[in-house]
Amino acid sequence: MIQLRDITKSFGSLQVLRGISLDVERGEVLSIVGPSGAGKTTLLQIMGTLDRPDTGTVTIDGTQVGRLNERELAAFRNRHIGFVFQFHQLLPEFTALENVLIPALIAGRPRREATQAAREMLALLGLAERAEHKPNELSGGEKQRVAVARALINRPSVVLADEPSGSLDTRHKEELHQLFFDLRRELGQTFVIVTHDEGLARMTDRTVHLVDGMKVG
Ligand SMILES: Nc1ncnc2c1ncn2[C@@H]1O[C@H](COP(=O)(O)OP(=O)(O)O)[C@@H](O)[C@H]1O
Ligand SMILES: [Mg+2]
């Protein structure tokens, strides 16, 4: 479903990715681990079309994304890719429901239908009662679940998560990790998760180790 071929990326004289090839299968939960500075975030950003590689190709759902212009890429990203970051990055002035709704409205779905879908997604994540609350009225774990609901609202091909539990305490961390696997079971959702959490990495189907911009296993 995702194919990366010979991806390289440098920032100035620093070569951050040195020829990464990777396939992700539909319905797979893949983890990417490695020391700080190894290039994990850069790889995830390239996989998510937020950044372009210097060389190599990214193919998602049969589309070679390097061939898309910026406008096509934004539309493609909106429909095919969901993101969850370490810090929820919810918009503080909007409610949980509105935060989840926004990507659906951007996708051009009618407001009524999108609102219904957003409520269902929040309910699926156990947040039905929190829909009208703003981020500062939610716990850290709840905010991260709202961020997951936002990532899922357009039923993307893949959810890319960059240290999603990095700012959570142990209990909320474990809840979030379990949630990824529940969503895979219930929705067939594919996940690529960058993590420092060994427990999470062990739960995933496969772990890619990145060191100095190279896959070492
Ligand atoms: N936009 C950028 N400009 C310059 N250097 C960057 C940029 N993004 C990342 N880097 C550098 O690339 C290296 C890899 O970064 P990153 O992909 O964030 O690693 P990781 O997520 O594994 O910690 C680091 O040395 C980082 O400082
Ligand atoms: Mg990182």
Side-chain angles (χ1 to χ4, degrees), residues 34-42 44 86 162-163 194 196:
S36 185
K40 304 180 298 295
T41 293
T42 304
L44 209 68
Q86 179 173 357
D162 197 352
E163 303 192 31
V194 168
H196 280 123

Side-chain angles (χ1 to χ4, degrees), residues 77-79 81-92 94-106 109 117-118 121-122 125 127 135 142-156 158-160 183:
R77 196 183 301 131
N78 173 251
R79 278 154 204 270
I81 304 166
F83 293 95
V84 179
F85 302 98
Q86 179 173 357
F87 301 100
H88 55 85
Q89 301 199 354
L90 300 174
L91 300 172
F94 292 102
T95 65
L97 181 70
E98 289 163 341
N99 268 283
V100 175
L101 188 57
I102 289 167
L105 296 177
I106 291 172
R109 289 162 73 176
M121 196 52 80
L122 285 170
L125 300 196
L127 292 163
E142 287 172 338
K143 281 191 278 240
Q144 232 12 359
R145 276 186 286 146
V146 174
V148 173
R150 177 184 56 185
L152 289 169
I153 188 67
N154 288 338
R155 301 301 319 277
V158 64
V159 171
L160 304 179
L183 291 167

Side-chain angles (χ1 to χ4, degrees), residues 26-29 84 120-127 144-153 155-161 164 175-191 193 203 205:
R26 192 173 301 282
E28 187 173 28
V29 181
V84 179
E120 284 171 14
M121 196 52 80
L122 285 170
L124 180 67
L125 300 196
L127 292 163
Q144 232 12 359
R145 276 186 286 146
V146 174
V148 173
R150 177 184 56 185
L152 289 169
I153 188 67
R155 301 301 319 277
S157 308
V158 64
V159 171
L160 304 179
E175 275 175 17
L176 185 71
H177 296 167
Q178 191 52 52
L179 177 64
F180 295 137
F181 293 90
D182 293 346
L183 291 167
R184 188 258 291 273
R185 193 181 63 241
E186 285 167 34
L187 306 174
Q189 183 63 52
T190 309
F191 288 92
I193 308 170
M203 288 165 78
D205 302 323

